Amino acid sequence: MNQSPSDLPAADLATLSPAELIQRRRELRHQRRVRGLQSVWRVLAIGAIAGGVIWLTTLPIWVLRSPEQITISGNRYLSEAAIRSLLDLEYPQSLVRLKPEDLVQALESHGPIAQAVVTRRLDPPGLTVIVWERHPVAQTVASPVTASTPPDRRSLPAGLIDASGVWMPLESYAALENTLELPTLKVLGMQEAHRSEWPALYQALLTSGLKISEIDWRNPANLILKTEIGVAHFGPYSYRFPQQLEVLKRMQTLPQKVKASQISYIDLRNPDVPVLQMQPAPSPKPNASPPS
């Protein structure tokens, strides 16, 4: 391999003839010109790529001009228009400059959307959005808070909760979909600590086949359910809850035997020995005074 004069040891330079030294200097100048041209080409190539990107972003065919260019899939409860409104896009919008990760964050920051995937589509130009929604299964009803109520005993605010225990403000749905049918099941006094127990509790309710209209959790020591059979007291929520529901299920014929107005509540705190707490018998009316 040829070496430039500057690369050769002093002893080797002394052995070179004047003609060889001139030839070495010419090679060195040539190498420097080649390296200079390579640097210029690199700068020009980078500039051309950057210019091409800028040019592409301004192409009219790769511009988002209306919400109709956004394809929505995976939605069951929210309309396509409601989901598009969460993207908060201004039109026209360059598809190349859009950041899908920012749009995903905008969607998932709202309670109704559990997960989202956003991809750009260049032919035809547009966006593809896939969503996984949170479906509310119950309404939470807040209990009154007083100065003596400990922070860990305060209930969740009024809102909605899904089957996994994710709480959502009612406004997160109402602002998007005025026609959304809200769940009829109500949960009174549900505390933050109850959210970890909610998935198993709700699944037990679903599999029980019972019609439950209200869950009263205001007293953690006594879970109360309002059912088609009557009001039932379960005591503190525990692993025996499915067994308690099964006992209650077997009492479905109770209204045919005892008037509902006569029953105060069904005590299922010990499911092995269910107890009917009856309403107190009305006091006998005093005899009417005899006519004078």
Side-chain angles (χ1 to χ4, degrees), residues 111 114 133-140 156-157 159-169 187 190-203 217:
E133 298 168 312
R134 289 190 178 97
H135 177 50
V137 296
Q139 298 185 52
T140 57
L156 295 175
L160 302 167
I161 192 166
D162 71 357
S164 64
V166 175
W167 180 87
M168 298 158 280
V187 187
M190 183 177 183
Q191 300 171 15
E192 182 66 33
H194 296 149
R195 289 175 60 184
S196 60
E197 299 171 330
W198 173 256
L201 184 151
Y202 181 71
Q203 185 60 35
W217 222 336

Side-chain angles (χ1 to χ4, degrees), residues 27-273:
E27 292 175 356
L28 179 59
R29 287 195 295 270
H30 176 72
Q31 291 173 1
R32 287 174 178 172
R33 283 195 297 270
V34 170
R35 285 196 291 268
L37 289 173
Q38 288 174 342
S39 298
V40 171
W41 277 111
R42 278 196 294 269
V43 171
L44 291 175
I46 293 172
I49 293 173
V53 170
I54 295 174
W55 176 72
L56 286 176
T57 60
T58 60
L59 280 178
I61 60 171
W62 285 354
V63 171
L64 204 62
R65 299 188 179 277
S66 69
E68 285 68 31
Q69 292 175 261
I70 304 175
T71 303
I72 309 292
S73 63
N75 56 312
R76 295 175 56 195
Y77 309 107
L78 298 176
S79 68
E80 294 184 4
I83 295 174
R84 290 188 184 108
S85 68
L86 295 177
L87 295 172
D88 194 25
L89 289 173
E90 295 182 358
Y91 302 94
Q93 183 77 243
S94 170
L95 278 174
V96 180
R97 292 178 181 175
L98 277 178
K99 295 181 179 179
E101 59 272 18
D102 292 344
L103 300 179
V104 168
Q105 185 176 0
L107 290 171
E108 295 180 355
S109 64
H110 292 77
I113 306 297
Q115 187 179 353
V117 174
V118 179
T119 55
R120 286 175 290 204
R121 188 180 64 247
L122 300 181
D123 187 22
L127 289 176
T128 299
V129 178
I130 306 173
V131 297
W132 288 264
E133 298 168 312
R134 289 190 178 97
H135 177 50
V137 296
Q139 298 185 52
T140 57
V141 181
S143 298
V145 177
T146 64
S148 61
T149 306
D152 60 341
R153 294 290 300 273
R154 295 177 180 177
S155 66
L156 295 175
L160 302 167
I161 192 166
D162 71 357
S164 64
V166 175
W167 180 87
M168 298 158 280
L170 182 60
E171 295 77 12
S172 64
Y173 273 89
L176 295 176
E177 208 67 71
N178 293 327
T179 60
L180 180 70
E181 185 176 350
L182 296 178
T184 57
L185 177 62
K186 294 184 178 181
V187 187
L188 280 62
M190 183 177 183
Q191 300 171 15
E192 182 66 33
H194 296 149
R195 289 175 60 184
S196 60
E197 299 171 330
W198 173 256
L201 184 151
Y202 181 71
Q203 185 60 35
L205 293 179
L206 285 181
T207 57
S208 71
L210 292 166
K211 293 181 180 179
I212 312 296
S213 59
E214 185 178 281
I215 301 172
D216 189 341
W217 222 336
R218 289 176 292 184
N219 180 7
N222 187 20
L223 179 67
I224 302 175
L225 268 57
K226 186 180 291 185
T227 77
E228 58 183 327
I229 303 171
V231 176
H233 289 207
F234 288 76
Y237 173 75
S238 70
Y239 70 94
R240 302 192 73 179
F241 184 67
Q243 180 188 356
Q244 292 169 307
L245 290 175
E246 180 59 32
V247 173
L248 184 61
K249 177 76 171 179
R250 294 200 295 266
M251 301 174 71
Q252 282 186 313
T253 58
L254 184 62
Q256 301 173 11
K257 302 174 181 178
V258 183
K259 291 182 179 180
S261 59
Q262 295 178 317
I263 303 175
S264 177
Y265 61 88
I266 305 168
D267 191 340
L268 291 169
R269 283 175 286 192
N270 182 358
D272 298 325
V273 187

